[in-house]
Amino acid sequence: MVARWIEQKRHYWRYKARIEKLPASYRTAVAGLERYINHLGGIGDADSILTMLDDLADLFEQGAANGTPIREILGADPVEFAETFLRNYPAGHWITREQERLTRAVEQAEAEETGSRGVR
């Protein structure tokens, strides 16, 4: 358990080192995305977070290597980009679990409603 946690920390610091090598404008964009994702996304387990961060680093490294402008990477609406990006990592995502709970609750309520109509 402790060894896994240490490896996850090392993995995170490798990610941070990758981001630090990006041009300043890319680092600023990644920092904004990280902040948004962390506050809104709430992806639960470390492995999901690390996978997502690695993919984010890959995307921006490729963009920097190709000289792709940040707006071309993110599109016109950075919030829409972040939302779409987050949807690719549903495992452990708190909002996904809550959406599923809401759907199940409404389905249960509907079943109860249907059942009570038949009894009348």
Side-chain angles (χ1 to χ4, degrees):
M1 177 88 172
V2 173
R4 182 167 175 71
W5 179 79
I6 290 170
E7 180 50 38
Q8 288 170 337
K9 282 294 247 187
R10 286 182 181 145
H11 189 139
Y12 177 74
W13 289 114
R14 286 190 302 268
Y15 157 77
K16 292 302 266 185
R18 290 174 66 190
I19 297 306
E20 197 55 37
K21 292 177 185 175
L22 292 172
S25 58
Y26 287 76
R27 288 194 312 266
T28 300
V30 170
L33 283 166
E34 278 184 53
R35 197 171 28 259
Y36 184 85
I37 288 167
N38 285 331
H39 289 321
L40 182 70
I43 296 176
D45 64 83
D47 290 330
S48 293
I49 293 168
L50 292 171
T51 298
M52 180 188 63
L53 292 176
D54 281 342
D55 290 348
L56 191 62
D58 289 345
L59 178 66
F60 277 85
E61 285 172 339
Q62 289 171 8
N66 295 329
T68 307
I70 291 169
R71 280 293 181 180
E72 259 185 63
I73 296 171
L74 300 178
D77 185 352
V79 173
E80 182 180 326
F81 172 87
E83 296 288 333
T84 302
F85 187 78
L86 276 171
R87 279 193 294 273
N88 291 314
Y89 306 91
H93 197 256
W94 70 269
I95 195 70
T96 300
R97 289 191 306 268
E98 291 307 315
Q99 289 167 342
E100 290 168 356
R101 285 182 185 140
L102 174 59
T103 299
R104 284 193 307 270
V106 170
E107 288 169 352
Q108 180 180 349
E110 186 177 40
E112 290 169 359
E113 184 178 62
T114 303
S116 67
R117 282 191 204 149
V119 173
R120 289 185 189 181

